[in-house]
Amino acid sequence: MNSYKNTQKINKWIVGIILAIGGIIAVMPFIWMILSAFKTNAEIVSMESGLIPKEWTVQNFIDLFQKMNFGVYLKNTLIITAFSFGGMFLNAMAGYGFAKYRFKGKKSLFIMILATMMIPGQVTMIPVYLILNKMGLTNTLAGIVLPGLVGAYGIFLFRQFMTTISDELLEAARLDGASELYIFTRIILPLSKPILAVQGILTFIAGWNSFMWPLIIANDEKYYTLSVGLNLLKGQYSNNFALQMAGSTFMVIPIIIIFLTFQKYILQGFNVSGLK
């Protein structure tokens, strides 16, 4: 028995060491990128450049806003991300409708929505562009935001989670005189915190990293996002690696902060049931 326990401990140590080494290898490029953002370009291209900057500087981040229009790109990205969160609640309402309401054609409509998940986004870009062009919404922030407000994947996630919420709980609320809006905002959404956190992170990442669609729909630089601006940065300052590292760091850090903040809700999403 003791030998079996010792073998288990040894195996756990071996697995832990392997995972730690793998984690370090995966994280090292990000650490190098972040630290390089505080170096001068001369230090980065130097053969003697180490991991830690010899002289720390924030000039690279200042140059992002002075030499490039990163202030404009940041504003556009924040606007798109904010509207994306509004779209997330539209997805939640649709998921709640499919999970808890009965109406004619419900199954057929839900299957049609799921079928759109099988269609690559690149296939629908041209039809959507033509529709927005007819509406006069090309080269506008509205044209960038509208197509991504509602998505089949978000509706599917919310619908699957909300089916686990007890129908008896909702019926008891209705018997107490609660309106449907009250039930959704005061009962459904609080119980759906784990899936809201997961979908919120996915929504933030999609909005923050939006590149292809803004590049297609916007002809004016004043509507570009951070991802498009970072691509322009690589083209205009291809030899300034410090500036590129600062731009990449500026893109990555918010995502890491958001993930670390809401990671506990993601873990809860695997175990929590609808009724607590």
Side-chain angles (χ1 to χ4, degrees), residues 48 50 68 73 75 95 187 193 206 227 229 269:
E48 299 178 355
M68 302 287 293
Y73 306 152
K75 182 193 71 174
I187 298 177
K193 280 184 179 180
S227 294

Side-chain angles (χ1 to χ4, degrees), residues 36-55:
S36 295
F38 296 94
K39 298 178 182 178
T40 62
N41 193 56
E43 183 179 349
I44 291 179
V45 299
S46 174
M47 295 297 292
E48 299 178 355
S49 177
L51 182 64
I52 306 298
K54 294 180 181 179
E55 295 183 8

